[in-house]
């Protein structure tokens, strides 16, 4: 099992930037895909960005393309999400996840962090 701990959330005005981090520990060698998900009150969970660790291939939701960047530092075993040009609709609880072998298969993510809140005001 992989343990995940997010940090870096907070409040920012529209147009601003935030950087999220997710420190991973445990059986991380079994982790092929890692990703960031978000869930706003009253809305379904949304897959924001994923990265396939072996190749570095990334994938983004259309709503964040060109504004968010996912990256992974293997030496630090840390996943990052750089969020620029933030919009009020980006407001949500953001979760780090791991465990999937197919990055687009949401149900394959078996390990989840506790979440970090991002609030964007207009």
């Amino acid at each position: 099992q992989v343990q995940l701990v997010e940090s870096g959330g907070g409040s920012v005005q529209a147009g601003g930037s935030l950087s999220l981090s997710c420190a991973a520990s445990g059986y991380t060698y079994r982790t092929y895909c890692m990703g960031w998900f978000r869930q706003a009150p009253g809305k379904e969970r949304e897959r924001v960005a994923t990265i396939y660790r072996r190749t570095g291939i990334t994938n983004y939701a259309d709503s964040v393309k060109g504004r968010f960047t996912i990256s992974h530092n293997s030496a630090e075993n840390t996943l990052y999400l750089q969020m620029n040009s933030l919009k009020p609709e980006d407001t949500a609880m953001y979760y780090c996840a791991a465990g999937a072998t197919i990055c687009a298969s949401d149900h394959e993510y078996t390990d989840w962090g506790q979440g970090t809140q991002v609030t964007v005001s207009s």
Side-chain angles (χ1 to χ4, degrees):
Q1 188 175 4
V2 176
Q3 292 78 45
L4 303 169
V5 179
E6 302 101 333
S7 60
S11 297
V12 66
Q13 288 191 330
S17 299
L18 281 174
S19 181
L20 305 183
S21 300
C22 173
S25 61
Y27 294 103
T28 57
Y29 66 91
R30 298 191 301 184
T31 299
Y32 296 98
C33 296
M34 296 189 75
W36 289 97
F37 293 73
R38 67 186 181 186
Q39 188 166 21
K43 295 188 177 181
E44 292 188 356
R45 186 178 63 195
E46 176 187 21
R47 176 167 21 93
V48 175
T50 63
I51 186 166
Y52 190 70
R53 288 180 55 194
R54 290 187 175 183
T55 61
I57 293 176
T58 59
N59 190 270
Y60 297 91
D62 288 341
S63 57
V64 306
K65 278 181 181 177
R67 300 188 298 121
F68 290 12
T69 302
I70 188 172
S71 61
H72 182 265
N73 185 314
S74 295
E76 298 177 352
N77 229 355
T78 302
L79 183 71
Y80 298 96
L81 185 68
Q82 177 64 42
M83 304 183 294
N84 299 327
S85 301
L86 282 161
K87 305 175 181 179
E89 50 264 45
D90 295 318
T91 295
M93 185 70 79
Y94 283 70
Y95 298 91
C96 171
T101 54
I102 299 175
C103 296
S105 295
D106 293 0
H107 69 279
E108 289 195 15
Y109 288 89
T110 54
D111 303 300
W112 294 83
Q114 81 288 352
T116 185
Q117 179 67 37
V118 171
T119 303
V120 184
S121 57
S122 58

